[in-house]
Amino acid sequence: MTHDTDTDGDESADEGPTRSDDRAARTPGGGAAPEPQPIEPAAPEEFGLVQAFWGDGKGKTTAAMGMGFRAAGHGYRVHMLQFMKGGADSVEGVRGEYNAIAAVPGFSYENAGHYGWHGLLDGSADDEHEAKAAAAFERAEALVAGAADADLSAPLPFDGDPEAGVHMLILDELLYAADRGLVDPDDVVGLAESKPEDLELVLTGSHAEPEYLDGVADLITNVRKVAHPFDDGQRARRGTEY
């Protein structure tokens, strides 16, 4: 019995790598390490969801832009419209994400924020925040309407006007604008429900749960804070927060 057990063990050891190699060969990449490829215009096959990132933790915008870079790396047309990020005395005028986006084909952005932060005594005017948010939402509606008129099942020019159609639209801090009353949450729902079927719509912002998106968004992620250096007085750092 001991001899048979040892033999079975030897056979298992011999077969293990073979089974592992077979599994690797059946993966989409055939078990090979991915190699970077030239980025050429392409069209996604399964886009069309509404995603929302909210919470009091760091990483909502970072997650959305990460997806944007991933999509752009596949040749899809991506655009990010930022609400409420017009700058503050804690960050520099040039942000790393803008430089990186400018270097990636097919990824573009625009910033519609007012300097400072709504509701804080930082020298900014709340009526200007409201006007900027209203104008940004009108721009978001135009971008969604442009996507509805475009053929999102086909590749889109990397240098095309985003209003002529994008595969992924990131509306950064829109949920925070809605939370602050600068944008009507019902209008956010209407925008999400009016989007064309193939447009991937990504919404970020708000420390408060956007309950109005229940049943509207396909993916809702709560980015929860466990610890944050800001609580100990750490200011925004170049390369991590901007």
Side-chain angles (χ1 to χ4, degrees), residues 57 70 76-77 81 107 111 163 184 186 194 213 216 220 231:
R70 178 176 287 161
Y76 309 152
R77 185 69 175 89
L81 169 62
F107 200 165
N111 184 300
E163 199 168 329
D184 190 329
D186 288 340
S194 71
L213 290 179
V216 177
I220 301 177
D231 296 337

Side-chain angles (χ1 to χ4, degrees), residues 11 42 47 50 68 73 89-90 98 113-114 128 134 141 151 159 167 173 176 186-187 208 211 221 223-225 229:
E11 290 176 353
F47 271 19
V50 176
D89 64 1
S90 60
Y98 297 164
H114 178 53
E128 287 294 330
E141 291 178 314
D151 181 5
D159 59 354
H167 296 117
E173 303 291 9
Y176 199 90
D186 288 340
D187 290 340
E211 295 180 351
T221 298
V223 181
R224 185 172 64 90
K225 181 182 74 171

